[in-house]
Amino acid sequence: MFLDAFDPELFRTTSETVTAKLEKHLADQSIRGLELVAPATLARAARALMTPERTSAPEFDEERLAAIIDLYIRTGIQVHSPGYMGRQFSGVVPLAGVIDFVSSVVNQPSSFYEAGQLPNVAERIMADELGRLIGWKPGGFAMVTTSGGSLANLTALLAARNERYPGYWSGGAAAVDSPGRPAIAVGADVHYSVARAAGVMGIGDAQLVRLPLDAAQRIDPARVRPALDAAREQGLHVFCLVASAGTTAVGAFDPIDELADIARERDLWLHVDGAHGASLLVSDRLRHKLRGVERADSLTWDAHKMMFVPAPCTLLFYREEARSLAPFRQQASYVFDEEPDVYTALDSGGRNFECTKRPMIMTLWALWALYGPALFATKIEHLCRLTREAHRIVEDEPDFVALHHPEANILCFRHRPGGAAGLDDAALHRLQIDIRNRVKERGHFFISKVDIDHVAALRVVLMNHQITTEHIRMLLDEIRAVARDALDGAAHDGTPLTDTGPRP
């Protein structure tokens, strides 16, 4: 009978089954990366776990559930393993997963106070707590949660556009009265979500003004004004400048304070994409990396990165509360109240894209309520310190080249084995990609790659406090081993390393 699926006792027993498996998963500190399974093979395995019943709901099958959970855990990136060094999402504080579990069961969408009362209050509390770290006084600024940094960046850029061009929301581009085509100034290394947002907004990638970077991969403030002047001569009207606090490629922090001077001088909206690096604000030792952030008009902050909560949990801040109403200018009688009161004052539905939104703030607030900021600050400081140690280890190895000094927990480097001393850039690029792919296929470590100066580099993101310097050395040994295989294979079959086709 279908009602059996809603039985509270069944809920308890299935929760115990799942919890036991997750406990075992968290306790496993073996070094494992990613077990890639062919999609067709995985689809067959998944279909084999599906009940053949179609006309009535069958009795609960505990073995089937256990097999589903096992498959789910085994085929994902092992974010809690010391072998996981490849991406910017993290293993979560386990308690945050428990709170997320509660949110899934009680199912309280949080865009409107009446649907999710505590999430909306918690959002205001965390806004005050984190806003003080930014440098703002309570009462003047605003924060909304969004499902991911990409959506937060889009929302902030909509606010900037609608403020500068009030008629754009209702009249579209035809309503724009400006001395040039609307444009956004960004660092040459800006996250792709900003370029995507420009496309969504009808501005277009061609109207992104790419600002030059310095040797540390940060926006070079000395060359920003000439770039803006050149854009104006080309018929572009820049209304917003986007800075990064922790770029995706190398974790660089743009000089926000100097860029804020330029933004004020040129009457530009200053948005800071701090999806990765804004979390350094919780650390007294690291907060200086974001010097000047209090002068930004808006800030994106992903808690599911360096605050170690389940994704998505993104915070979008506005220095002036009134500006948080700028992105979306519309009315809908079925959700927006005609007579605001003390309850609807906490609604965020008019400030964010989502109507039905997960109460994502609950995972962050619960951890903050129980542990305070020290939990986050201590782990972030540890990871940044570990990354500096990893940099030292790489620098000490003659067959590795570190490509930057890490500002946070991202490190990029290349392997140049003795046999590859004569490789040109194209072959060196291919070797790094080959190394990354072979490391992934071995399944011990999971790392990523990024192009720096048009040549591929190996990239590690240290998100797991279980990683030690010994694991870093083990990774370098693994890289050496797969590089030898790659070079030996190329020498044996005569395939040049510049060949970008699939390996046999």
Side-chain angles (χ1 to χ4, degrees), residues 300-332:
T300 292
W301 183 339
D302 276 355
H304 58 260
K305 289 186 170 71
M306 294 279 276
M307 301 293 274
F308 318 113
V309 298
C313 181
T314 296
L315 320 171
L316 173 59
F317 288 88
Y318 296 91
R319 180 164 48 85
E320 297 178 15
E321 183 176 13
R323 287 178 157 184
S324 67
L325 298 171
F328 311 105
R329 298 177 175 178
Q330 57 195 142
Q331 291 296 320

PDB file of all heavy atoms in Angstrom, residues 300-332:
ATOM      1  N   THR A 300      29.683  38.267  -3.664  1.00  0.00           N
ATOM      2  CA  THR A 300      29.263  36.861  -3.710  1.00  0.00           C
ATOM      3  C   THR A 300      30.158  36.042  -2.789  1.00  0.00           C
ATOM      4  O   THR A 300      31.377  36.179  -2.822  1.00  0.00           O
ATOM      5  CB  THR A 300      29.354  36.317  -5.138  1.00  0.00           C
ATOM      6  OG1 THR A 300      28.366  36.966  -5.957  1.00  0.00           O
ATOM      7  CG2 THR A 300      29.118  34.816  -5.190  1.00  0.00           C
ATOM      8  N   TRP A 301      29.539  35.150  -1.989  1.00  0.00           N
ATOM      9  CA  TRP A 301      30.281  34.356  -0.997  1.00  0.00           C
ATOM     10  C   TRP A 301      29.676  32.955  -0.970  1.00  0.00           C
ATOM     11  O   TRP A 301      28.538  32.769  -0.571  1.00  0.00           O
ATOM     12  CB  TRP A 301      30.168  35.038   0.362  1.00  0.00           C
ATOM     13  CG  TRP A 301      30.914  34.429   1.511  1.00  0.00           C
ATOM     14  CD1 TRP A 301      31.377  33.163   1.641  1.00  0.00           C
ATOM     15  CD2 TRP A 301      31.259  35.093   2.738  1.00  0.00           C
ATOM     16  NE1 TRP A 301      31.986  32.988   2.856  1.00  0.00           N
ATOM     17  CE2 TRP A 301      31.938  34.151   3.548  1.00  0.00           C
ATOM     18  CE3 TRP A 301      31.052  36.380   3.224  1.00  0.00           C
ATOM     19  CZ2 TRP A 301      32.395  34.469   4.832  1.00  0.00           C
ATOM     20  CZ3 TRP A 301      31.509  36.695   4.498  1.00  0.00           C
ATOM     21  CH2 TRP A 301      32.186  35.749   5.286  1.00  0.00           C
ATOM     22  N   ASP A 302      30.448  31.954  -1.410  1.00  0.00           N
ATOM     23  CA  ASP A 302      29.986  30.564  -1.392  1.00  0.00           C
ATOM     24  C   ASP A 302      30.361  29.905  -0.070  1.00  0.00           C
ATOM     25  O   ASP A 302      31.541  29.628   0.176  1.00  0.00           O
ATOM     26  CB  ASP A 302      30.629  29.761  -2.531  1.00  0.00           C
ATOM     27  CG  ASP A 302      29.893  29.908  -3.846  1.00  0.00           C
ATOM     28  OD1 ASP A 302      28.839  30.556  -3.865  1.00  0.00           O
ATOM     29  OD2 ASP A 302      30.399  29.397  -4.860  1.00  0.00           O
ATOM     30  N   ALA A 303      29.368  29.617   0.757  1.00  0.00           N
ATOM     31  CA  ALA A 303      29.654  28.904   2.011  1.00  0.00           C
ATOM     32  C   ALA A 303      29.935  27.427   1.756  1.00  0.00           C
ATOM     33  O   ALA A 303      30.564  26.765   2.586  1.00  0.00           O
ATOM     34  CB  ALA A 303      28.484  29.061   2.985  1.00  0.00           C
ATOM     35  N   HIS A 304      29.488  26.906   0.610  1.00  0.00           N
ATOM     36  CA  HIS A 304      29.731  25.483   0.335  1.00  0.00           C
ATOM     37  C   HIS A 304      31.147  25.222  -0.154  1.00  0.00           C
ATOM     38  O   HIS A 304      31.487  24.076  -0.453  1.00  0.00           O
ATOM     39  CB  HIS A 304      28.703  24.938  -0.672  1.00  0.00           C
ATOM     40  CG  HIS A 304      28.671  25.663  -1.977  1.00  0.00           C
ATOM     41  ND1 HIS A 304      27.722  26.613  -2.270  1.00  0.00           N
ATOM     42  CD2 HIS A 304      29.458  25.591  -3.072  1.00  0.00           C
ATOM     43  CE1 HIS A 304      27.919  27.081  -3.486  1.00  0.00           C
ATOM     44  NE2 HIS A 304      28.983  26.473  -3.992  1.00  0.00           N
ATOM     45  N   LYS A 305      31.950  26.242  -0.221  1.00  0.00           N
ATOM     46  CA  LYS A 305      33.362  26.047  -0.513  1.00  0.00           C
ATOM     47  C   LYS A 305      34.144  26.042   0.801  1.00  0.00           C
ATOM     48  O   LYS A 305      34.319  25.003   1.427  1.00  0.00           O
ATOM     49  CB  LYS A 305      33.853  27.116  -1.493  1.00  0.00           C
ATOM     50  CG  LYS A 305      33.308  26.927  -2.918  1.00  0.00           C
ATOM     51  CD  LYS A 305      33.915  27.907  -3.885  1.00  0.00           C
ATOM     52  CE  LYS A 305      33.561  27.575  -5.339  1.00  0.00           C
ATOM     53  NZ  LYS A 305      32.172  27.835  -5.675  1.00  0.00           N
ATOM     54  N   MET A 306      34.563  27.204   1.263  1.00  0.00           N
ATOM     55  CA  MET A 306      35.477  27.251   2.402  1.00  0.00           C
ATOM     56  C   MET A 306      34.781  27.375   3.764  1.00  0.00           C
ATOM     57  O   MET A 306      35.439  27.595   4.783  1.00  0.00           O
ATOM     58  CB  MET A 306      36.450  28.404   2.213  1.00  0.00           C
ATOM     59  CG  MET A 306      37.383  28.214   1.025  1.00  0.00           C
ATOM     60  SD  MET A 306      38.772  27.154   1.389  1.00  0.00           S
ATOM     61  CE  MET A 306      39.870  28.364   2.125  1.00  0.00           C
ATOM     62  N   MET A 307      33.454  27.221   3.787  1.00  0.00           N
ATOM     63  CA  MET A 307      32.747  27.143   5.071  1.00  0.00           C
ATOM     64  C   MET A 307      32.252  25.722   5.325  1.00  0.00           C
ATOM     65  O   MET A 307      31.593  25.463   6.320  1.00  0.00           O
ATOM     66  CB  MET A 307      31.584  28.138   5.108  1.00  0.00           C
ATOM     67  CG  MET A 307      32.009  29.589   4.913  1.00  0.00           C
ATOM     68  SD  MET A 307      32.994  30.276   6.248  1.00  0.00           S
ATOM     69  CE  MET A 307      31.694  30.819   7.352  1.00  0.00           C
ATOM     70  N   PHE A 308      32.497  24.816   4.362  1.00  0.00           N
ATOM     71  CA  PHE A 308      32.383  23.382   4.562  1.00  0.00           C
ATOM     72  C   PHE A 308      30.966  22.911   4.899  1.00  0.00           C
ATOM     73  O   PHE A 308      30.744  22.070   5.763  1.00  0.00           O
ATOM     74  CB  PHE A 308      33.371  22.930   5.648  1.00  0.00           C
ATOM     75  CG  PHE A 308      34.711  23.597   5.519  1.00  0.00           C
ATOM     76  CD1 PHE A 308      35.156  24.496   6.471  1.00  0.00           C
ATOM     77  CD2 PHE A 308      35.506  23.361   4.408  1.00  0.00           C
ATOM     78  CE1 PHE A 308      36.372  25.141   6.331  1.00  0.00           C
ATOM     79  CE2 PHE A 308      36.733  24.000   4.251  1.00  0.00           C
ATOM     80  CZ  PHE A 308      37.169  24.898   5.224  1.00  0.00           C
ATOM     81  N   VAL A 309      29.997  23.458   4.163  1.00  0.00           N
ATOM     82  CA  VAL A 309      28.603  23.035   4.299  1.00  0.00           C
ATOM     83  C   VAL A 309      28.145  22.458   2.965  1.00  0.00           C
ATOM     84  O   VAL A 309      28.786  22.671   1.923  1.00  0.00           O
ATOM     85  CB  VAL A 309      27.693  24.208   4.731  1.00  0.00           C
ATOM     86  CG1 VAL A 309      28.118  24.743   6.091  1.00  0.00           C
ATOM     87  CG2 VAL A 309      27.676  25.320   3.691  1.00  0.00           C
ATOM     88  N   PRO A 310      27.038  21.719   2.946  1.00  0.00           N
ATOM     89  CA  PRO A 310      26.568  21.118   1.688  1.00  0.00           C
ATOM     90  C   PRO A 310      26.218  22.173   0.643  1.00  0.00           C
ATOM     91  O   PRO A 310      25.732  23.259   0.963  1.00  0.00           O
ATOM     92  CB  PRO A 310      25.318  20.337   2.116  1.00  0.00           C
ATOM     93  CG  PRO A 310      25.500  20.082   3.582  1.00  0.00           C
ATOM     94  CD  PRO A 310      26.221  21.276   4.103  1.00  0.00           C
ATOM     95  N   ALA A 311      26.473  21.841  -0.597  1.00  0.00           N
ATOM     96  CA  ALA A 311      26.109  22.731  -1.703  1.00  0.00           C
ATOM     97  C   ALA A 311      24.639  22.544  -2.062  1.00  0.00           C
ATOM     98  O   ALA A 311      24.104  21.444  -1.916  1.00  0.00           O
ATOM     99  CB  ALA A 311      26.987  22.420  -2.920  1.00  0.00           C
ATOM    100  N   PRO A 312      23.974  23.614  -2.545  1.00  0.00           N
ATOM    101  CA  PRO A 312      24.543  24.952  -2.623  1.00  0.00           C
ATOM    102  C   PRO A 312      24.206  25.767  -1.381  1.00  0.00           C
ATOM    103  O   PRO A 312      23.167  25.556  -0.754  1.00  0.00           O
ATOM    104  CB  PRO A 312      23.827  25.539  -3.846  1.00  0.00           C
ATOM    105  CG  PRO A 312      22.462  24.914  -3.798  1.00  0.00           C
ATOM    106  CD  PRO A 312      22.658  23.533  -3.225  1.00  0.00           C
ATOM    107  N   CYS A 313      25.076  26.697  -1.051  1.00  0.00           N
ATOM    108  CA  CYS A 313      24.802  27.662   0.014  1.00  0.00           C
ATOM    109  C   CYS A 313      25.619  28.903  -0.297  1.00  0.00           C
ATOM    110  O   CYS A 313      26.780  29.005   0.093  1.00  0.00           O
ATOM    111  CB  CYS A 313      25.154  27.100   1.391  1.00  0.00           C
ATOM    112  SG  CYS A 313      24.809  28.252   2.751  1.00  0.00           S
ATOM    113  N   THR A 314      25.011  29.813  -1.046  1.00  0.00           N
ATOM    114  CA  THR A 314      25.693  31.030  -1.470  1.00  0.00           C
ATOM    115  C   THR A 314      25.034  32.246  -0.843  1.00  0.00           C
ATOM    116  O   THR A 314      23.811  32.323  -0.749  1.00  0.00           O
ATOM    117  CB  THR A 314      25.673  31.152  -3.003  1.00  0.00           C
ATOM    118  OG1 THR A 314      26.410  30.064  -3.565  1.00  0.00           O
ATOM    119  CG2 THR A 314      26.298  32.458  -3.470  1.00  0.00           C
ATOM    120  N   LEU A 315      25.854  33.189  -0.432  1.00  0.00           N
ATOM    121  CA  LEU A 315      25.390  34.416   0.191  1.00  0.00           C
ATOM    122  C   LEU A 315      25.708  35.581  -0.735  1.00  0.00           C
ATOM    123  O   LEU A 315      26.849  35.725  -1.181  1.00  0.00           O
ATOM    124  CB  LEU A 315      26.089  34.626   1.543  1.00  0.00           C
ATOM    125  CG  LEU A 315      26.278  33.366   2.398  1.00  0.00           C
ATOM    126  CD1 LEU A 315      27.166  33.656   3.595  1.00  0.00           C
ATOM    127  CD2 LEU A 315      24.938  32.807   2.825  1.00  0.00           C
ATOM    128  N   LEU A 316      24.715  36.401  -1.027  1.00  0.00           N
ATOM    129  CA  LEU A 316      24.907  37.586  -1.854  1.00  0.00           C
ATOM    130  C   LEU A 316      24.643  38.813  -0.999  1.00  0.00           C
ATOM    131  O   LEU A 316      23.542  38.994  -0.476  1.00  0.00           O
ATOM    132  CB  LEU A 316      23.972  37.561  -3.062  1.00  0.00           C
ATOM    133  CG  LEU A 316      23.943  38.829  -3.933  1.00  0.00           C
ATOM    134  CD1 LEU A 316      25.336  39.142  -4.480  1.00  0.00           C
ATOM    135  CD2 LEU A 316      22.931  38.684  -5.070  1.00  0.00           C
ATOM    136  N   PHE A 317      25.674  39.649  -0.848  1.00  0.00           N
ATOM    137  CA  PHE A 317      25.590  40.840  -0.008  1.00  0.00           C
ATOM    138  C   PHE A 317      25.497  42.096  -0.862  1.00  0.00           C
ATOM    139  O   PHE A 317      26.121  42.199  -1.926  1.00  0.00           O
ATOM    140  CB  PHE A 317      26.838  40.956   0.877  1.00  0.00           C
ATOM    141  CG  PHE A 317      26.908  39.957   1.989  1.00  0.00           C
ATOM    142  CD1 PHE A 317      27.482  38.708   1.780  1.00  0.00           C
ATOM    143  CD2 PHE A 317      26.425  40.257   3.253  1.00  0.00           C
ATOM    144  CE1 PHE A 317      27.564  37.786   2.801  1.00  0.00           C
ATOM    145  CE2 PHE A 317      26.503  39.341   4.283  1.00  0.00           C
ATOM    146  CZ  PHE A 317      27.071  38.106   4.059  1.00  0.00           C
ATOM    147  N   TYR A 318      24.730  43.083  -0.352  1.00  0.00           N
ATOM    148  CA  TYR A 318      24.681  44.423  -0.917  1.00  0.00           C
ATOM    149  C   TYR A 318      25.052  45.423   0.172  1.00  0.00           C
ATOM    150  O   TYR A 318      24.520  45.356   1.284  1.00  0.00           O
ATOM    151  CB  TYR A 318      23.273  44.764  -1.417  1.00  0.00           C
ATOM    152  CG  TYR A 318      22.769  43.905  -2.553  1.00  0.00           C
ATOM    153  CD1 TYR A 318      22.043  42.745  -2.285  1.00  0.00           C
ATOM    154  CD2 TYR A 318      22.982  44.260  -3.881  1.00  0.00           C
ATOM    155  CE1 TYR A 318      21.558  41.953  -3.321  1.00  0.00           C
ATOM    156  CE2 TYR A 318      22.502  43.481  -4.916  1.00  0.00           C
ATOM    157  CZ  TYR A 318      21.785  42.329  -4.630  1.00  0.00           C
ATOM    158  OH  TYR A 318      21.312  41.542  -5.652  1.00  0.00           O
ATOM    159  N   ARG A 319      25.939  46.346  -0.157  1.00  0.00           N
ATOM    160  CA  ARG A 319      26.354  47.345   0.836  1.00  0.00           C
ATOM    161  C   ARG A 319      25.191  48.241   1.246  1.00  0.00           C
ATOM    162  O   ARG A 319      25.109  48.661   2.402  1.00  0.00           O
ATOM    163  CB  ARG A 319      27.509  48.188   0.279  1.00  0.00           C
ATOM    164  CG  ARG A 319      28.016  49.263   1.225  1.00  0.00           C
ATOM    165  CD  ARG A 319      29.379  49.779   0.793  1.00  0.00           C
ATOM    166  NE  ARG A 319      29.434  50.106  -0.618  1.00  0.00           N
ATOM    167  CZ  ARG A 319      29.061  51.278  -1.146  1.00  0.00           C
ATOM    168  NH1 ARG A 319      28.604  52.233  -0.341  1.00  0.00           N
ATOM    169  NH2 ARG A 319      29.164  51.495  -2.439  1.00  0.00           N
ATOM    170  N   GLU A 320      24.297  48.519   0.315  1.00  0.00           N
ATOM    171  CA  GLU A 320      23.116  49.329   0.605  1.00  0.00           C
ATOM    172  C   GLU A 320      21.871  48.468   0.420  1.00  0.00           C
ATOM    173  O   GLU A 320      21.653  47.900  -0.653  1.00  0.00           O
ATOM    174  CB  GLU A 320      23.067  50.546  -0.314  1.00  0.00           C
ATOM    175  CG  GLU A 320      24.237  51.495  -0.138  1.00  0.00           C
ATOM    176  CD  GLU A 320      24.180  52.657  -1.109  1.00  0.00           C
ATOM    177  OE1 GLU A 320      23.107  52.887  -1.708  1.00  0.00           O
ATOM    178  OE2 GLU A 320      25.215  53.326  -1.274  1.00  0.00           O
ATOM    179  N   GLU A 321      21.059  48.374   1.460  1.00  0.00           N
ATOM    180  CA  GLU A 321      19.900  47.480   1.437  1.00  0.00           C
ATOM    181  C   GLU A 321      18.964  47.781   0.275  1.00  0.00           C
ATOM    182  O   GLU A 321      18.429  46.867  -0.363  1.00  0.00           O
ATOM    183  CB  GLU A 321      19.140  47.584   2.753  1.00  0.00           C
ATOM    184  CG  GLU A 321      17.965  46.632   2.833  1.00  0.00           C
ATOM    185  CD  GLU A 321      17.266  46.668   4.173  1.00  0.00           C
ATOM    186  OE1 GLU A 321      17.530  47.590   4.964  1.00  0.00           O
ATOM    187  OE2 GLU A 321      16.439  45.761   4.430  1.00  0.00           O
ATOM    188  N   ALA A 322      18.746  49.046  -0.043  1.00  0.00           N
ATOM    189  CA  ALA A 322      17.799  49.399  -1.102  1.00  0.00           C
ATOM    190  C   ALA A 322      18.206  48.796  -2.445  1.00  0.00           C
ATOM    191  O   ALA A 322      17.358  48.476  -3.280  1.00  0.00           O
ATOM    192  CB  ALA A 322      17.690  50.918  -1.220  1.00  0.00           C
ATOM    193  N   ARG A 323      19.507  48.605  -2.633  1.00  0.00           N
ATOM    194  CA  ARG A 323      19.977  48.071  -3.904  1.00  0.00           C
ATOM    195  C   ARG A 323      19.623  46.598  -4.086  1.00  0.00           C
ATOM    196  O   ARG A 323      19.639  46.092  -5.206  1.00  0.00           O
ATOM    197  CB  ARG A 323      21.480  48.272  -4.025  1.00  0.00           C
ATOM    198  CG  ARG A 323      21.877  49.709  -4.279  1.00  0.00           C
ATOM    199  CD  ARG A 323      23.372  49.884  -4.341  1.00  0.00           C
ATOM    200  NE  ARG A 323      23.729  51.071  -5.098  1.00  0.00           N
ATOM    201  CZ  ARG A 323      24.970  51.440  -5.375  1.00  0.00           C
ATOM    202  NH1 ARG A 323      25.990  50.689  -4.967  1.00  0.00           N
ATOM    203  NH2 ARG A 323      25.214  52.534  -6.068  1.00  0.00           N
ATOM    204  N   SER A 324      19.319  45.909  -3.008  1.00  0.00           N
ATOM    205  CA  SER A 324      18.955  44.496  -3.112  1.00  0.00           C
ATOM    206  C   SER A 324      17.610  44.309  -3.802  1.00  0.00           C
ATOM    207  O   SER A 324      17.265  43.190  -4.197  1.00  0.00           O
ATOM    208  CB  SER A 324      18.921  43.852  -1.723  1.00  0.00           C
ATOM    209  OG  SER A 324      17.862  44.373  -0.933  1.00  0.00           O
ATOM    210  N   LEU A 325      16.835  45.389  -3.940  1.00  0.00           N
ATOM    211  CA  LEU A 325      15.538  45.311  -4.622  1.00  0.00           C
ATOM    212  C   LEU A 325      15.656  45.604  -6.109  1.00  0.00           C
ATOM    213  O   LEU A 325      14.685  45.507  -6.841  1.00  0.00           O
ATOM    214  CB  LEU A 325      14.568  46.308  -3.982  1.00  0.00           C
ATOM    215  CG  LEU A 325      14.239  46.060  -2.498  1.00  0.00           C
ATOM    216  CD1 LEU A 325      13.449  47.238  -1.938  1.00  0.00           C
ATOM    217  CD2 LEU A 325      13.461  44.763  -2.344  1.00  0.00           C
ATOM    218  N   ALA A 326      16.864  45.954  -6.563  1.00  0.00           N
ATOM    219  CA  ALA A 326      17.035  46.377  -7.953  1.00  0.00           C
ATOM    220  C   ALA A 326      17.002  45.256  -8.996  1.00  0.00           C
ATOM    221  O   ALA A 326      16.586  45.491 -10.133  1.00  0.00           O
ATOM    222  CB  ALA A 326      18.345  47.153  -8.092  1.00  0.00           C
ATOM    223  N   PRO A 327      17.428  44.004  -8.675  1.00  0.00           N
ATOM    224  CA  PRO A 327      17.521  43.002  -9.752  1.00  0.00           C
ATOM    225  C   PRO A 327      16.199  42.653 -10.397  1.00  0.00           C
ATOM    226  O   PRO A 327      16.137  42.424 -11.611  1.00  0.00           O
ATOM    227  CB  PRO A 327      18.126  41.779  -9.044  1.00  0.00           C
ATOM    228  CG  PRO A 327      18.789  42.311  -7.833  1.00  0.00           C
ATOM    229  CD  PRO A 327      17.989  43.495  -7.418  1.00  0.00           C
ATOM    230  N   PHE A 328      15.110  42.578  -9.613  1.00  0.00           N
ATOM    231  CA  PHE A 328      13.833  42.067 -10.132  1.00  0.00           C
ATOM    232  C   PHE A 328      12.734  43.077  -9.798  1.00  0.00           C
ATOM    233  O   PHE A 328      12.474  43.355  -8.629  1.00  0.00           O
ATOM    234  CB  PHE A 328      13.505  40.705  -9.520  1.00  0.00           C
ATOM    235  CG  PHE A 328      14.662  39.747  -9.578  1.00  0.00           C
ATOM    236  CD1 PHE A 328      15.395  39.451  -8.439  1.00  0.00           C
ATOM    237  CD2 PHE A 328      15.041  39.152 -10.775  1.00  0.00           C
ATOM    238  CE1 PHE A 328      16.474  38.576  -8.484  1.00  0.00           C
ATOM    239  CE2 PHE A 328      16.122  38.289 -10.831  1.00  0.00           C
ATOM    240  CZ  PHE A 328      16.844  37.999  -9.684  1.00  0.00           C
ATOM    241  N   ARG A 329      12.093  43.593 -10.828  1.00  0.00           N
ATOM    242  CA  ARG A 329      11.078  44.626 -10.625  1.00  0.00           C
ATOM    243  C   ARG A 329       9.763  44.131 -11.209  1.00  0.00           C
ATOM    244  O   ARG A 329       9.453  44.346 -12.384  1.00  0.00           O
ATOM    245  CB  ARG A 329      11.516  45.930 -11.296  1.00  0.00           C
ATOM    246  CG  ARG A 329      12.816  46.483 -10.683  1.00  0.00           C
ATOM    247  CD  ARG A 329      13.303  47.730 -11.375  1.00  0.00           C
ATOM    248  NE  ARG A 329      14.464  48.283 -10.697  1.00  0.00           N
ATOM    249  CZ  ARG A 329      15.123  49.357 -11.106  1.00  0.00           C
ATOM    250  NH1 ARG A 329      14.725  49.998 -12.179  1.00  0.00           N
ATOM    251  NH2 ARG A 329      16.181  49.799 -10.440  1.00  0.00           N
ATOM    252  N   GLN A 330       9.014  43.442 -10.380  1.00  0.00           N
ATOM    253  CA  GLN A 330       7.761  42.886 -10.861  1.00  0.00           C
ATOM    254  C   GLN A 330       6.830  42.622  -9.684  1.00  0.00           C
ATOM    255  O   GLN A 330       7.250  42.637  -8.532  1.00  0.00           O
ATOM    256  CB  GLN A 330       8.018  41.582 -11.626  1.00  0.00           C
ATOM    257  CG  GLN A 330       8.746  40.532 -10.812  1.00  0.00           C
ATOM    258  CD  GLN A 330       9.307  39.405 -11.642  1.00  0.00           C
ATOM    259  OE1 GLN A 330      10.376  38.921 -11.387  1.00  0.00           O
ATOM    260  NE2 GLN A 330       8.574  38.952 -12.645  1.00  0.00           N
ATOM    261  N   GLN A 331       5.581  42.359 -10.016  1.00  0.00           N
ATOM    262  CA  GLN A 331       4.587  42.044  -9.001  1.00  0.00           C
ATOM    263  C   GLN A 331       3.923  40.721  -9.357  1.00  0.00           C
ATOM    264  O   GLN A 331       3.745  40.397 -10.527  1.00  0.00           O
ATOM    265  CB  GLN A 331       3.518  43.147  -8.911  1.00  0.00           C
ATOM    266  CG  GLN A 331       4.036  44.469  -8.349  1.00  0.00           C
ATOM    267  CD  GLN A 331       4.484  44.322  -6.910  1.00  0.00           C
ATOM    268  OE1 GLN A 331       3.847  43.631  -6.113  1.00  0.00           O
ATOM    269  NE2 GLN A 331       5.586  44.980  -6.561  1.00  0.00           N
ATOM    270  N   ALA A 332       3.564  39.954  -8.323  1.00  0.00           N
ATOM    271  CA  ALA A 332       2.828  38.703  -8.505  1.00  0.00           C
ATOM    272  C   ALA A 332       1.918  38.549  -7.295  1.00  0.00           C
ATOM    273  O   ALA A 332       2.390  38.319  -6.181  1.00  0.00           O
ATOM    274  CB  ALA A 332       3.785  37.525  -8.620  1.00  0.00           C
TER     275      ALA A 332
END
